[in-house]
Coordinates of all heavy atoms in Angstrom, one line a residue:
L9 N 35.4 3.2 1.3 CA 34.2 4.0 1.2 C 33.0 3.1 0.8 O 32.0 3.3 1.4 CB 34.4 5.0 0.0 CG 33.5 6.2 0.1 CD1 33.5 6.9 1.3 CD2 33.9 7.2 -1.1
F10 N 33.2 2.1 0.0 CA 32.2 1.1 -0.4 C 31.9 0.3 0.9 O 30.7 0.0 1.1 CB 32.7 0.1 -1.5 CG 31.5 -0.8 -1.9 CD1 30.4 -0.4 -2.6 CD2 31.6 -2.1 -1.4 CE1 29.5 -1.2 -2.9 CE2 30.6 -3.0 -1.8 CZ 29.5 -2.5 -2.6
L11 N 32.8 0.0 1.8 CA 32.5 -0.7 3.0 C 31.5 0.1 4.0 O 30.5 -0.5 4.5 CB 33.8 -1.0 3.8 CG 33.6 -1.8 5.1 CD1 33.1 -3.2 4.9 CD2 35.0 -1.7 5.8
F12 N 31.7 1.3 4.0 CA 30.9 2.1 4.9 C 29.4 2.3 4.1 O 28.4 2.3 4.8 CB 31.3 3.5 5.1 CG 32.6 3.5 6.0 CD1 33.8 3.8 5.6 CD2 32.4 3.1 7.4 CE1 35.0 3.6 6.5 CE2 33.4 3.0 8.3 CZ 34.7 3.3 7.8
L13 N 29.5 2.4 2.8 CA 28.2 2.4 2.1 C 27.4 1.1 2.4 O 26.2 1.2 2.6 CB 28.5 2.5 0.6 CG 27.3 2.6 -0.4 CD1 26.6 3.9 -0.3 CD2 27.8 2.4 -1.7
F14 N 28.1 0.0 2.3 CA 27.5 -1.3 2.6 C 27.0 -1.4 4.0 O 25.8 -1.9 4.2 CB 28.5 -2.5 2.2 CG 27.8 -3.7 2.2 CD1 27.1 -4.1 1.1 CD2 28.1 -4.6 3.3 CE1 26.5 -5.4 1.0 CE2 27.5 -5.9 3.2 CZ 26.7 -6.3 2.2
I15 N 27.7 -0.9 5.0 CA 27.3 -0.9 6.4 C 26.1 -0.1 6.6 O 25.2 -0.5 7.2 CB 28.5 -0.4 7.3 CG1 29.6 -1.5 7.4 CG2 28.0 -0.2 8.7 CD1 30.9 -0.9 8.0
F16 N 26.0 1.1 6.1 CA 24.8 2.0 6.2 C 23.6 1.2 5.5 O 22.5 1.3 6.0 CB 25.0 3.3 5.7 CG 25.8 4.3 6.6 CD1 27.0 4.7 6.2 CD2 25.3 4.6 7.9 CE1 27.7 5.6 7.1 CE2 26.1 5.3 8.7 CZ 27.2 5.9 8.3
A17 N 23.8 0.6 4.4 CA 22.8 -0.1 3.7 C 22.2 -1.3 4.5 O 21.0 -1.5 4.5 CB 23.3 -0.6 2.3
V18 N 23.1 -2.0 5.2 CA 22.7 -3.0 6.1 C 21.8 -2.6 7.2 O 20.8 -3.1 7.6 CB 23.9 -3.9 6.6 CG1 23.5 -4.9 7.7 CG2 24.6 -4.7 5.5
I19 N 22.3 -1.4 7.8 CA 21.6 -0.8 8.9 C 20.2 -0.4 8.5 O 19.2 -0.7 9.1 CB 22.4 0.3 9.5 CG1 23.6 -0.3 10.2 CG2 21.5 1.1 10.5 CD1 24.5 0.8 10.7
V20 N 20.1 0.3 7.3 CA 18.8 0.7 6.8 C 18.0 -0.4 6.5 O 16.7 -0.3 6.7 CB 19.0 1.7 5.6 CG1 17.7 2.0 5.0 CG2 19.6 3.0 6.2
C21 N 18.6 -1.4 5.8 CA 17.7 -2.6 5.4 C 17.2 -3.3 6.6 O 16.0 -3.8 6.5 CB 18.6 -3.5 4.6 SG 17.6 -4.9 3.8
T22 N 17.9 -3.4 7.8 CA 17.3 -4.2 8.9 C 16.4 -3.2 9.6 O 15.4 -3.7 10.2 CB 18.5 -4.6 9.8 OG1 19.3 -3.4 10.2 CG2 19.3 -5.6 9.2
M23 N 16.6 -2.0 9.7 CA 15.7 -1.0 10.4 C 14.3 -0.8 9.6 O 13.2 -0.8 10.3 CB 16.3 0.3 10.6 CG 17.4 0.2 11.7 SD 18.2 1.9 11.7 CE 17.1 2.7 12.8
V24 N 14.3 -0.8 8.4 CA 13.1 -0.5 7.5 C 12.7 -1.7 6.8 O 11.5 -2.0 6.8 CB 13.3 0.6 6.6 CG1 12.2 0.9 5.8 CG2 13.7 1.9 7.4
G25 N 13.6 -2.4 6.2 CA 13.2 -3.5 5.2 C 12.6 -4.7 5.9 O 11.8 -5.4 5.3
Q26 N 13.0 -4.9 7.1 CA 12.5 -6.1 7.8 C 11.3 -5.9 8.8 O 10.7 -6.8 9.4 CB 13.7 -6.7 8.7 CG 14.9 -7.0 7.9 CD 14.7 -8.0 6.8 OE1 14.0 -9.0 6.9 NE2 15.4 -7.8 5.7
D27 N 11.0 -4.5 8.9 CA 9.8 -4.2 9.8 C 8.5 -4.3 9.0 O 8.3 -3.6 8.1 CB 10.1 -2.9 10.3 CG 9.1 -2.6 11.5 OD1 8.2 -3.4 11.9 OD2 9.2 -1.4 12.1
I28 N 7.6 -5.2 9.5 CA 6.3 -5.5 8.7 C 5.3 -4.2 8.8 O 4.7 -3.9 7.9 CB 5.7 -6.7 9.3 CG1 6.5 -7.9 8.9 CG2 4.2 -6.9 8.8 CD1 6.1 -9.2 9.5
D29 N 5.4 -3.5 10.0 CA 4.6 -2.3 10.2 C 4.9 -1.2 9.3 O 4.1 -0.6 8.7 CB 4.7 -1.8 11.7 CG 4.0 -2.9 12.7 OD1 3.2 -3.6 12.2 OD2 4.5 -2.9 13.8
I30 N 6.2 -1.1 9.0 CA 6.7 0.1 8.1 C 6.3 -0.4 6.7 O 5.9 0.4 6.0 CB 8.2 0.2 8.2 CG1 8.5 0.9 9.6 CG2 8.7 1.1 7.2 CD1 9.9 1.1 10.0
R31 N 6.4 -1.6 6.3 CA 6.0 -2.0 5.0 C 4.6 -1.8 4.8 O 4.2 -1.6 3.7 CB 6.4 -3.5 4.8 CG 7.9 -3.8 4.6 CD 8.1 -5.2 4.4 NE 9.6 -5.4 4.1 CZ 10.0 -5.7 2.9 NH1 9.2 -6.0 1.9 NH2 11.3 -6.0 2.8
R32 N 3.7 -2.0 5.8 CA 2.3 -1.7 5.6 C 2.1 -0.2 5.4 O 1.1 0.1 4.7 CB 1.5 -2.2 6.8 CG 1.0 -3.7 6.6 CD 0.0 -4.0 7.7 NE 0.8 -5.0 8.5 CZ 0.9 -5.2 9.8 NH1 0.3 -4.3 10.5 NH2 1.4 -6.3 10.4
E33 N 2.7 0.6 6.2 CA 2.4 2.0 6.1 C 3.1 2.7 4.8 O 2.6 3.7 4.4 CB 3.0 2.7 7.5 CG 2.2 2.4 8.6 CD 2.8 3.1 9.9 OE1 3.4 4.2 9.7 OE2 2.7 2.6 10.9
W34 N 4.2 2.2 4.4 CA 4.9 2.8 3.3 C 4.9 1.8 2.1 O 5.6 0.8 2.2 CB 6.4 3.1 3.7 CG 7.1 3.9 2.8 CD1 6.8 4.7 1.9 CD2 8.6 3.9 2.7 NE1 7.8 5.3 1.2 CE2 9.0 4.7 1.7 CE3 9.6 3.1 3.3 CZ2 10.2 4.9 1.3 CZ3 10.9 3.3 2.9 CH2 11.2 4.2 2.0
S35 N 4.2 2.2 1.1 CA 4.1 1.2 0.0 C 5.3 1.0 -0.9 O 5.5 0.1 -1.5 CB 2.9 1.7 -1.0 OG 3.2 3.1 -1.4
D36 N 6.2 2.1 -0.8 CA 7.4 2.1 -1.5 C 8.7 1.3 -0.9 O 9.8 1.5 -1.4 CB 7.9 3.4 -2.1 CG 6.9 3.9 -3.0 OD1 6.3 3.2 -3.7 OD2 6.8 5.2 -3.2
A37 N 8.3 0.7 0.2 CA 9.5 0.3 1.1 C 10.2 -0.9 0.2 O 11.4 -1.1 0.2 CB 9.0 -0.3 2.4
D38 N 9.4 -1.8 -0.5 CA 10.1 -2.8 -1.3 C 10.9 -2.2 -2.4 O 11.9 -2.8 -2.8 CB 9.0 -3.7 -1.9 CG 8.5 -4.7 -0.9 OD1 9.3 -5.0 0.1 OD2 7.4 -5.1 -1.0
L39 N 10.5 -1.1 -2.9 CA 11.2 -0.4 -4.0 C 12.6 0.1 -3.5 O 13.6 0.0 -4.3 CB 10.4 0.7 -4.6 CG 11.0 1.5 -5.8 CD1 11.2 0.6 -6.9 CD2 10.2 2.7 -6.1
Y40 N 12.6 0.8 -2.4 CA 13.9 1.4 -1.9 C 14.7 0.5 -1.1 O 15.9 0.5 -1.1 CB 13.4 2.7 -1.1 CG 12.9 3.7 -2.0 CD1 11.7 4.2 -1.8 CD2 13.6 4.3 -3.1 CE1 11.2 5.3 -2.6 CE2 13.1 5.2 -4.0 CZ 11.8 5.7 -3.6 OH 11.4 6.7 -4.5
V41 N 14.1 -0.3 -0.2 CA 14.9 -1.1 0.8 C 14.4 -2.5 1.0 O 14.5 -3.1 2.0 CB 14.9 -0.4 2.2 CG1 15.7 0.8 2.2 CG2 13.5 -0.2 2.8
G42 N 13.9 -3.0 -0.2 CA 13.3 -4.4 -0.2 C 14.4 -5.4 0.0 O 14.1 -6.5 0.5
S43 N 15.5 -5.3 -0.5 CA 16.6 -6.2 -0.3 C 17.9 -5.5 0.0 O 17.9 -4.2 -0.1 CB 16.8 -7.0 -1.6 OG 17.3 -6.2 -2.7
L44 N 18.9 -6.1 0.3 CA 20.1 -5.5 0.5 C 20.7 -4.6 -0.6 O 21.2 -3.4 -0.4 CB 21.2 -6.5 1.1 CG 22.6 -5.9 1.5 CD1 22.3 -5.0 2.7 CD2 23.5 -7.1 1.8
W45 N 20.7 -5.2 -1.7 CA 21.2 -4.5 -2.9 C 20.3 -3.2 -3.3 O 20.9 -2.2 -3.8 CB 21.5 -5.4 -4.1 CG 22.5 -6.4 -3.7 CD1 22.3 -7.8 -3.5 CD2 23.9 -6.2 -3.4 NE1 23.5 -8.4 -3.1 CE2 24.5 -7.3 -3.1 CE3 24.8 -5.0 -3.4 CZ2 25.8 -7.5 -2.8 CZ3 26.0 -5.2 -3.1 CH2 26.6 -6.4 -2.8
K46 N 19.1 -3.3 -3.1 CA 18.3 -2.1 -3.4 C 18.6 -1.1 -2.2 O 18.5 0.1 -2.5 CB 16.8 -2.5 -3.3 CG 16.3 -3.3 -4.4 CD 14.8 -3.6 -4.2 CE 14.3 -4.5 -5.3 NZ 12.9 -4.8 -5.2
A47 N 18.9 -1.5 -1.0 CA 19.3 -0.5 0.1 C 20.6 0.1 -0.3 O 20.8 1.3 -0.1 CB 19.3 -1.2 1.3
V48 N 21.5 -0.7 -0.8 CA 22.8 -0.1 -1.3 C 22.6 0.9 -2.3 O 23.2 2.0 -2.3 CB 23.9 -1.3 -1.8 CG1 25.0 -0.7 -2.5 CG2 24.2 -2.1 -0.7
L49 N 21.8 0.7 -3.4 CA 21.5 1.6 -4.4 C 20.8 2.8 -3.9 O 21.1 4.0 -4.3 CB 20.6 0.9 -5.4 CG 20.3 1.7 -6.6 CD1 21.6 2.3 -7.4 CD2 19.3 1.1 -7.6
T50 N 19.9 2.7 -2.9 CA 19.2 3.9 -2.3 C 20.2 4.7 -1.5 O 20.2 5.9 -1.6 CB 18.1 3.3 -1.3 OG1 17.1 2.5 -2.1 CG2 17.3 4.4 -0.6
I51 N 21.1 4.1 -0.7 CA 22.1 4.8 0.0 C 23.1 5.4 -1.0 O 23.4 6.7 -0.7 CB 22.9 3.9 1.1 CG1 21.9 3.4 2.2 CG2 24.0 4.6 1.7 CD1 21.5 4.4 3.0
L52 N 23.4 4.9 -2.0 CA 24.3 5.5 -3.0 C 23.6 6.7 -3.7 O 24.2 7.7 -3.8 CB 24.6 4.5 -4.0 CG 25.6 4.9 -5.1 CD1 27.0 5.4 -4.5 CD2 25.8 3.9 -6.2
Q53 N 22.4 6.6 -3.9 CA 21.6 7.8 -4.4 C 21.3 8.9 -3.5 O 21.5 10.0 -3.9 CB 20.3 7.2 -5.1 CG 20.4 6.4 -6.3 CD 19.0 5.9 -6.8 OE1 18.1 5.8 -6.0 NE2 19.0 5.6 -8.1
V54 N 21.2 8.5 -2.3 CA 21.1 9.6 -1.1 C 22.5 10.2 -1.0 O 22.6 11.4 -0.8 CB 20.6 9.0 0.1 CG1 20.6 9.9 1.2 CG2 19.1 8.6 -0.1
F55 N 23.5 9.3 -1.0 CA 25.0 9.9 -0.8 C 25.3 10.8 -2.0 O 25.9 11.8 -1.6 CB 25.9 8.7 -0.9 CG 27.3 9.0 -1.2 CD1 28.1 9.8 -0.3 CD2 27.9 8.4 -2.3 CE1 29.3 10.1 -0.6 CE2 29.3 8.8 -2.5 CZ 30.0 9.6 -1.6
T56 N 24.9 10.6 -3.2 CA 25.1 11.5 -4.2 C 24.2 12.7 -4.3 O 24.3 13.6 -5.2 CB 25.2 10.9 -5.6 OG1 23.9 10.2 -5.8 CG2 26.2 9.8 -5.7
I57 N 23.3 12.8 -3.4 CA 22.3 13.9 -3.1 C 21.5 14.0 -4.4 O 21.3 15.0 -5.0 CB 23.0 15.2 -2.8 CG1 23.9 14.9 -1.5 CG2 22.0 16.2 -2.4 CD1 24.7 16.2 -1.1
D58 N 20.9 12.8 -4.8 CA 20.1 12.7 -6.0 C 18.7 13.2 -5.6 O 18.4 13.4 -4.5 CB 20.1 11.3 -6.5 CG 19.4 11.2 -7.8 OD1 19.3 12.1 -8.5 OD2 19.2 10.0 -8.2
R59 N 17.7 13.4 -6.5 CA 16.4 13.7 -6.2 C 15.6 12.7 -5.4 O 14.6 13.0 -4.8 CB 15.6 14.0 -7.4 CG 15.9 15.4 -8.1 CD 15.0 15.7 -9.1 NE 15.1 14.7 -10.3 CZ 14.3 14.7 -11.3 NH1 13.3 15.5 -11.4 NH2 14.5 13.8 -12.2
I60 N 16.1 11.5 -5.3 CA 15.5 10.5 -4.5 C 15.4 10.8 -3.1 O 14.6 10.4 -2.3 CB 16.1 9.1 -4.8 CG1 15.2 8.0 -4.2 CG2 17.4 9.0 -4.2 CD1 15.8 6.6 -4.7
S61 N 16.4 11.5 -2.6 CA 16.4 11.9 -1.2 C 15.2 12.6 -0.7 O 14.8 12.5 0.4 CB 17.7 12.6 -0.9 OG 17.8 13.8 -1.5
A62 N 14.6 13.4 -1.5 CA 13.4 14.2 -1.1 C 12.2 13.2 -1.0 O 11.4 13.3 -0.1 CB 13.2 15.4 -2.1
S63 N 12.1 12.4 -2.0 CA 11.0 11.4 -2.1 C 11.2 10.3 -1.0 O 10.2 9.6 -0.6 CB 10.7 10.9 -3.4 OG 11.8 10.0 -3.8
L64 N 12.4 10.1 -0.6 CA 12.7 9.1 0.4 C 12.6 9.6 1.9 O 12.2 8.9 2.7 CB 14.0 8.5 0.1 CG 14.5 7.3 1.0 CD1 13.7 6.1 0.8 CD2 15.9 7.0 0.7
G65 N 13.1 10.8 2.1 CA 13.2 11.5 3.3 C 11.8 11.7 4.0 O 11.6 11.5 5.1
Q66 N 10.8 12.2 3.3 CA 9.5 12.6 3.9 C 8.9 11.4 4.4 O 8.5 11.4 5.6 CB 8.7 13.3 2.9 CG 9.2 14.6 2.5 CD 9.2 15.6 3.6 OE1 8.4 15.5 4.5 NE2 10.1 16.5 3.7
P67 N 8.7 10.2 3.7 CA 8.0 9.1 4.3 C 8.8 8.4 5.4 O 8.2 8.1 6.4 CB 7.9 8.0 3.1 CG 8.2 8.9 1.9 CD 9.0 10.0 2.3
L68 N 10.1 8.5 5.4 CA 11.0 7.8 6.4 C 10.9 8.7 7.6 O 10.9 8.2 8.8 CB 12.4 7.7 6.0 CG 12.7 6.4 5.2 CD1 14.2 6.4 4.9 CD2 12.3 5.2 6.0
M69 N 10.8 10.0 7.5 CA 10.8 10.9 8.7 C 9.5 10.6 9.4 O 9.4 10.6 10.7 CB 10.9 12.3 8.3 CG 11.1 13.2 9.4 SD 12.5 12.7 10.5 CE 13.2 14.2 10.7
S70 N 8.4 10.4 8.7 CA 7.1 10.3 9.4 C 7.0 8.8 9.9 O 6.2 8.6 11.0 CB 5.9 10.6 8.6 OG 5.9 9.7 7.4
I71 N 7.5 7.8 9.3 CA 7.4 6.5 9.7 C 8.4 6.0 10.8 O 8.1 5.4 11.8 CB 7.4 5.5 8.5 CG1 6.2 5.8 7.6 CG2 7.5 4.1 8.9 CD1 6.3 5.1 6.3
S72 N 9.7 6.4 10.4 CA 10.8 5.8 11.4 C 11.9 7.0 11.4 O 12.8 7.0 10.7 CB 11.4 4.7 10.7 OG 12.6 4.3 11.4
P73 N 11.8 7.9 12.4 CA 12.7 9.0 12.5 C 14.2 8.5 12.8 O 15.1 9.1 12.3 CB 12.2 9.8 13.8 CG 10.8 9.4 13.7 CD 10.6 8.0 13.3
P74 N 14.3 7.4 13.5 CA 15.9 7.0 13.7 C 16.4 6.6 12.3 O 17.6 6.8 12.1 CB 15.7 5.7 14.6 CG 14.5 5.9 15.3 CD 13.6 6.6 14.4
T75 N 15.7 6.0 11.4 CA 16.2 5.7 10.1 C 16.6 6.9 9.4 O 17.5 7.0 8.7 CB 15.2 4.9 9.3 OG1 14.9 3.7 10.1 CG2 15.8 4.3 8.0
A76 N 15.6 8.0 9.3 CA 15.9 9.2 8.7 C 17.2 9.8 9.2 O 18.0 10.4 8.5 CB 14.8 10.1 8.8
A77 N 17.4 9.8 10.6 CA 18.6 10.2 11.1 C 19.8 9.5 10.7 O 20.9 10.1 10.5 CB 18.6 10.2 12.7
M78 N 19.7 8.2 10.5 CA 20.9 7.3 10.0 C 21.1 7.7 8.6 O 22.3 7.8 8.2 CB 20.3 5.9 10.0 CG 21.4 4.9 9.5 SD 22.9 5.0 10.4 CE 22.4 4.3 12.0
L79 N 20.1 8.0 7.8 CA 20.4 8.4 6.4 C 21.2 9.8 6.3 O 22.0 10.0 5.6 CB 19.1 8.7 5.6 CG 18.5 7.3 5.1 CD1 17.2 7.6 4.4 CD2 19.4 6.6 4.2
V80 N 20.8 10.7 7.3 CA 21.5 12.0 7.3 C 22.9 11.8 7.8 O 23.9 12.4 7.2 CB 20.7 13.0 8.3 CG1 21.7 14.2 8.6 CG2 19.5 13.4 7.7
M81 N 23.1 10.8 8.8 CA 24.5 10.6 9.3 C 25.3 9.9 8.1 O 26.5 10.2 8.0 CB 24.4 9.7 10.4 CG 24.1 10.4 11.7 SD 24.1 9.3 13.2 CE 24.9 7.9 12.7
S82 N 24.7 9.1 7.3 CA 25.4 8.5 6.2 C 25.8 9.4 5.2 O 26.9 9.4 4.6 CB 24.6 7.3 5.6 OG 23.5 7.9 4.9
V83 N 24.9 10.4 4.9 CA 25.3 11.5 3.9 C 26.5 12.3 4.4 O 27.4 12.5 3.6 CB 24.1 12.4 3.6 CG1 24.5 13.5 2.8 CG2 23.1 11.6 2.8
I84 N 26.4 12.7 5.6 CA 27.5 13.4 6.2 C 28.8 12.6 6.2 O 29.9 13.1 5.8 CB 27.1 14.0 7.6 CG1 26.0 15.0 7.5 CG2 28.4 14.5 8.3 CD1 25.5 15.4 8.8
F85 N 28.7 11.4 6.7 CA 30.0 10.6 6.8 C 30.6 10.2 5.4 O 31.7 10.4 5.2 CB 29.6 9.3 7.6 CG 30.8 8.4 7.9 CD1 31.6 8.9 8.9 CD2 31.0 7.3 7.2 CE1 32.7 8.1 9.3 CE2 32.1 6.5 7.5 CZ 33.0 6.9 8.5
L86 N 29.7 9.8 4.5 CA 30.3 9.4 3.2 C 30.7 10.6 2.4 O 31.7 10.5 1.7 CB 29.2 8.7 2.5 CG 28.8 7.3 3.0 CD1 27.7 6.6 2.3 CD2 30.1 6.3 3.0
N87 N 30.0 11.8 2.5 CA 30.4 12.9 1.8 C 31.9 13.4 2.2 O 32.7 13.8 1.5 CB 29.4 14.0 1.8 CG 28.3 13.8 0.7 OD1 28.6 13.1 -0.3 ND2 27.1 14.3 0.9
F88 N 31.9 13.5 3.6 CA 33.3 14.0 4.1 C 34.4 12.9 3.7 O 35.5 13.3 3.5 CB 33.2 14.1 5.7 CG 32.6 15.4 6.0 CD1 31.6 15.5 6.9 CD2 33.0 16.6 5.5 CE1 31.0 16.7 7.3 CE2 32.4 17.8 5.7 CZ 31.4 17.9 6.7
G89 N 34.0 11.6 3.7 CA 35.0 10.7 3.3 C 35.4 10.8 1.9 O 36.6 10.6 1.6
C90 N 34.4 11.1 1.1 CA 34.7 11.3 -0.4 C 35.6 12.4 -0.6 O 36.6 12.4 -1.4 CB 33.5 11.2 -1.1 SG 33.7 11.4 -2.9
I91 N 35.3 13.6 0.1 CA 36.0 14.8 0.0 C 37.4 14.6 0.5 O 38.3 15.1 -0.1 CB 35.3 15.9 0.7 CG1 34.0 16.3 -0.1 CG2 36.2 17.1 0.8 CD1 33.1 17.3 0.6
N92 N 37.6 13.9 1.7 CA 38.9 13.6 2.1 C 39.8 12.8 1.1 O 40.9 13.1 1.0 CB 38.7 12.8 3.5 CG 40.1 12.6 4.2 OD1 41.0 13.4 3.8 ND2 40.0 11.8 5.2
I93 N 39.2 11.8 0.5 CA 39.9 11.1 -0.5 C 40.4 12.0 -1.7 O 41.5 11.9 -2.1 CB 39.1 9.8 -1.0 CG1 39.0 8.9 0.2 CG2 39.8 9.2 -2.2 CD1 38.1 7.7 -0.1
L94 N 39.4 12.7 -2.1 CA 39.8 13.8 -3.3 C 40.7 14.6 -2.9 O 41.7 15.0 -3.8 CB 38.4 14.5 -3.8 CG 37.4 13.6 -4.4 CD1 36.2 14.4 -4.7 CD2 38.0 13.1 -5.7
V95 N 40.8 15.2 -1.7 CA 41.8 16.2 -1.3 C 43.1 15.5 -1.2 O 44.2 16.0 -1.5 CB 41.4 16.9 0.0 CG1 42.6 17.7 0.5 CG2 40.2 17.8 -0.2
A96 N 43.1 14.2 -0.6 CA 44.4 13.5 -0.5 C 45.0 13.3 -1.8 O 46.2 13.3 -2.1 CB 44.1 12.3 0.2
V97 N 44.2 12.9 -2.9 CA 44.7 12.6 -4.2 C 45.3 13.8 -4.8 O 46.3 13.9 -5.4 CB 43.6 12.1 -5.1 CG1 44.0 12.1 -6.5 CG2 43.3 10.6 -4.7
M98 N 44.6 15.0 -4.6 CA 45.1 16.3 -5.2 C 46.4 16.8 -4.5 O 47.2 17.4 -5.1 CB 44.0 17.4 -5.2 CG 42.9 17.1 -6.1 SD 41.8 18.4 -6.3 CE 41.0 18.8 -4.9
V99 N 46.5 16.6 -3.2 CA 47.6 17.0 -2.5 C 48.9 16.1 -3.0 O 50.0 16.7 -3.0 CB 47.5 16.9 -1.0 CG1 48.7 17.1 -0.2 CG2 46.5 18.0 -0.5
E100 N 48.8 14.9 -3.2 CA 49.8 14.1 -3.6 C 50.2 14.5 -5.0 O 51.1 14.6 -5.4 CB 49.4 12.6 -3.7 CG 49.4 12.0 -2.4 CD 50.7 11.8 -1.7 OE1 51.7 11.4 -2.4 OE2 50.9 12.1 -0.6

């Protein structure tokens, strides 16, 4: 599960964190995806459906729709993976 979290963080970091135009338009880009570990923390907070997802989703949707779609895919993928692991533990 951590591997997929890391993969999604790398994708988001390269799509948003390395783009100079997005950094100019979005002042909080360094805070959320400035480095790889910040992106991992951001994906983890979005994965747990924290309040950060609302403040992160709106700017990303207007600046980079593919990245917002990637965040939605990561939430769906990681939540189903977590639920699958929990169910497997309870069945055993």
